[in-house]
Structures are given as C-alpha cells and as structure tokens.
Amino acid sequence: MPELPEVETIACGLRDCLVGQQVVAAHVAWARTVATPSAEAFCHDIVGRRVQEVGRRGKFILMDLDRGVLAVHLRMTGRLLVCDAAPEQAPWWPYVRAQLTFASGLRLYLVDVRKFGRLYLVSSAAEVVGSLGPEPLSAAFTVEALAERLRASRRQLKPLLLDQRVLAGLGNIYVDEALWEARLHPLRRSDTLSDAEVVRLHAAIRLILDRAVCNGGTTLRDYRNVANEAGTNQLALAVYGREGKACLRCGAIIQRLTLGGRGTRLCPVCQMLPEDA
DNA sequence: ATATCTGCCTGCTCGC
DNA sequence: TGCGAGCAGGCAGATA
C-alpha cells in the first residue's frame, strides 16, 4: 500500500509530466471516489484549471492548481497513472475510477481495485492535511520533537506511530520495519522509552524511509509509479512479509502477531518487551 | 485519553 | 475442480 516513500515517488513522477498542464475534461466512474465536493461539481469545477506544482504531505499527493488544490489519497490499492495513448487494452483499465484529460492530450487515471482511494478538490491544502503531524524527513522532525510526542502519550508504540496526527506518512510496512531497525517492541508504551531508545527510533524512521524513497517504493502487489513501474524496496524489507524466516540480525524466527486488527511482524529476540512496559 | 469495533471494497488464498 | 469463508488494511466514525 502506498505510504510516504511510494507517495513521494508518485508525486515526483507527476511533477515531471503534469506541471503546466491544463485540465480540459474530467470523468468520474465511481462517484464515491470524490470525497469533496460532489462528483458532479468536481467534474465541472476542475475543467480549465492548470497544474502549477505537485507536492506531498504525509500520504497525500497535493497538486497546486492556479485556483485551489487537488489532493489525492491512494489508501490501499490506488494508483495514479499517466498515459498519452488509449489504454483500453491495459489490465488495469476496468479499475479506472476517475480520469483527467489535459490540453496536451495527456491523461491522468486514478486506478483502484478496492475503491478506497479519494480525490479532494479544495481551496486550500489545509482543509485536507491540516491535522497531520510532522514530516519524518523534514528538518523539523528532530529527536526532541519525536521525544515530545512519545512522552505526551501513554499509547503503545505501533498504534501511536500509525496515527497520522502524531507523525505523517508511516503505514503498516514502514512502522514494522522501523521498529525492527530500532530494536523496539511494537507494544512498548510510548512514554517509557529511554533517551537512547528515542534516538534509535528517530534514526530508524529516517533510515527506513530514506532507503525506500531511493528504491522507488515497495511493491508487494499493487503499488506502481506513474509509469506503471514497480519499486524495488521489497528486496530491502527485514520483517514485513518475512514471518517464519530468520531475523537478518540474530537468526531468530520472525513472528507475526495481530495488533489493533493489523498484522504485525517482529523479531522476538531483537525486539524484547521489558516487564514494565 | 485511549482502546476497540464497524464499514468501506474486491482479489486472492486456503481448506474442504 | 469448485466454492465459500476469511484475510488484507488506511481511515472515518461510533462506541466503550
């Protein structure tokens, strides 16, 4: 599923081909794809607008228009594909939920098997991303900033790190990877981490995300960039999808547990849970 | 404040 | 071989 590194890769791809492009037509095949406004209003209002810049905030893609912002969240299986030829033969064609046509003839498709992906046409990005926590790869995300957020809560580490209001962009895969890298148990209570452990977690989050961005994201099944190409970061995963295999650090068998309804992978030796946390 | 549950969705895997 | 059950999980919203 698209998390920060995948969304970053997609945003860069969109920037390369869509900046300066003007929308001449819009079509929505699954009305609920448009979160705001209505699908009808969306199709009407977006025509004539021009893409000025493409960015990312957390897991949201933000396309600045000459008036307003088009935000996209891909949730689980969403893809944004850019094509210049008619793709009716493509295997993903039946799953196109919305499309934009630009004056150049270029087309942008929101493809989503599961129909969870959402489009937002808003006047300001803050309407969509206003409540998100800091960007993990920004200068503002310091060890102190992380420590403050961890100690302000008594929640378990994994649910806390998945909370987009606490930190923006992490999902199930990269939280599991970061906790393994930092040698911290996902059930660890967030306010019990030592200074050294906070430093480790901070460095781990940065390392895991940086590497995944460099690798063009993780493709386990659905993720593709705007050119429909897979990423390669799945080759760098240490725990996600490796249950039953040997820990790359200590050789113990990677375990799987369910935490808040989500599959969670960890090394029971490297990531021990202290008695009091 | 925090935890837990449901609904949204459909393709895939598994067991019988 | 065929079929139904269960799983995958980000997020919003409701409930405890």
Side-chain angles (χ1 to χ4, degrees), chain A residues 156 158-159 162 172 187 256-265:
Chain A
Q156 295 163 335
K158 178 162 178 176
L162 284 172
N172 207 34
L187 292 175
R256 183 204 149 95
L257 55 88
T258 300
L259 204 172
R262 293 183 182 89
T264 299
R265 291 81 181 172

Side-chain angles (χ1 to χ4, degrees), chain A residues 26 30 33 45 63 89 97 107 117-118 124 131 134 139 151 171 174 183 194 209 239 257 273 276:
Chain A
W30 180 254
T33 295
D45 293 353
M63 290 183 247
Q89 305 304 319
R97 308 305 180 194
R107 287 167 188 256
R118 291 290 179 266
S124 144
S131 61
R151 285 164 189 162
Y174 296 114
R183 308 195 305 277
S194 68
L209 293 177
V239 284
L257 55 88
L273 188 64
D276 57 350

Side-chain angles (χ1 to χ4, degrees), chain A residues 104-161:
Chain A
S104 64
L106 224 52
R107 287 167 188 256
L108 174 65
Y109 296 97
L110 173 63
V111 175
D112 192 355
V113 167
R114 302 274 293 275
K115 299 179 175 175
F116 286 168
R118 291 290 179 266
L119 300 173
Y120 309 74
L121 183 60
V122 290
S123 52
S124 144
E127 293 172 48
V128 176
V129 299
S131 61
L132 293 182
E135 279 295 320
L137 297 181
S138 74
F141 181 63
T142 59
V143 171
E144 292 71 27
L146 176 62
E148 191 178 325
R149 289 178 182 258
L150 293 175
R151 285 164 189 162
S153 166
R154 296 164 59 85
R155 297 168 69 183
Q156 295 163 335
L157 219 35
K158 178 162 178 176
L160 186 81
L161 293 173

Side-chain angles (χ1 to χ4, degrees), chain A residues 2-260:
Chain A
E3 305 179 28
L4 187 152
E6 291 75 32
V7 178
E8 178 68 23
T9 304
I10 290 166
C12 289
L14 293 175
R15 186 178 305 120
D16 288 342
C17 40
L18 294 187
V19 169
Q21 298 276 334
Q22 185 176 30
V23 177
V24 293
H27 176 68
V28 174
W30 180 254
R32 297 183 66 159
T33 295
V34 182
T36 184
S38 68
E40 295 75 21
F42 175 89
C43 291
H44 177 267
D45 293 353
I46 201 166
V47 171
R49 301 204 201 183
R50 196 179 293 273
V51 179
Q52 293 190 320
E53 178 56 291
V54 182
R56 176 194 60 75
R57 181 77 173 87
K59 301 178 198 172
F60 287 89
I61 290 153
L62 299 174
M63 290 183 247
D64 290 335
L65 309 172
D66 45 7
R67 185 167 57 86
V69 176
L70 172 60
V72 187
H73 197 303
L74 297 170
R75 298 282 182 100
M76 312 291 297
T77 54
R79 302 180 189 180
L80 283 174
L81 302 177
V82 177
C83 298
D84 51 9
E88 282 82 0
Q89 305 304 319
W92 48 263
W93 182 249
Y95 304 108
V96 172
R97 308 305 180 194
Q99 58 181 285
L100 297 180
T101 305
F102 296 93
S104 64
L106 224 52
R107 287 167 188 256
L108 174 65
Y109 296 97
L110 173 63
V111 175
D112 192 355
V113 167
R114 302 274 293 275
K115 299 179 175 175
F116 286 168
R118 291 290 179 266
L119 300 173
Y120 309 74
L121 183 60
V122 290
S123 52
S124 144
E127 293 172 48
V128 176
V129 299
S131 61
L132 293 182
E135 279 295 320
L137 297 181
S138 74
F141 181 63
T142 59
V143 171
E144 292 71 27
L146 176 62
E148 191 178 325
R149 289 178 182 258
L150 293 175
R151 285 164 189 162
S153 166
R154 296 164 59 85
R155 297 168 69 183
Q156 295 163 335
L157 219 35
K158 178 162 178 176
L160 186 81
L161 293 173
L162 284 172
D163 188 335
Q164 302 298 298
R165 295 167 302 182
V166 173
L167 193 58
L170 290 179
N172 207 34
I173 295 174
Y174 296 114
V175 166
D176 280 3
E177 293 296 315
L179 289 173
W180 178 85
E181 182 67 36
R183 308 195 305 277
L184 292 167
H185 197 287
L187 292 175
R188 189 71 185 278
R189 223 178 66 185
S190 65
D191 60 343
T192 67
L193 269 62
S194 68
D195 289 348
E197 287 173 328
V198 176
V199 168
R200 254 160 46 204
L201 179 57
H202 179 267
I205 291 169
R206 287 274 181 100
L207 176 79
I208 291 299
L209 293 177
D210 264 331
R211 181 168 64 204
V213 170
C214 288
N215 289 336
T218 298
T219 298
L220 292 172
R221 173 165 295 148
D222 296 290
Y223 166 68
R224 295 291 187 284
N225 66 16
V226 296
N228 205 31
E229 299 159 338
T232 62
N233 195 64
Q234 60 279 9
L235 303 172
L237 299 180
V239 284
Y240 197 90
R242 293 197 68 248
E243 53 266 35
K245 296 182 181 173
C247 172
L248 299 174
R249 198 160 40 209
C250 77
I253 300 301
I254 299 298
Q255 290 183 348
R256 183 204 149 95
L257 55 88
T258 300
L259 204 172

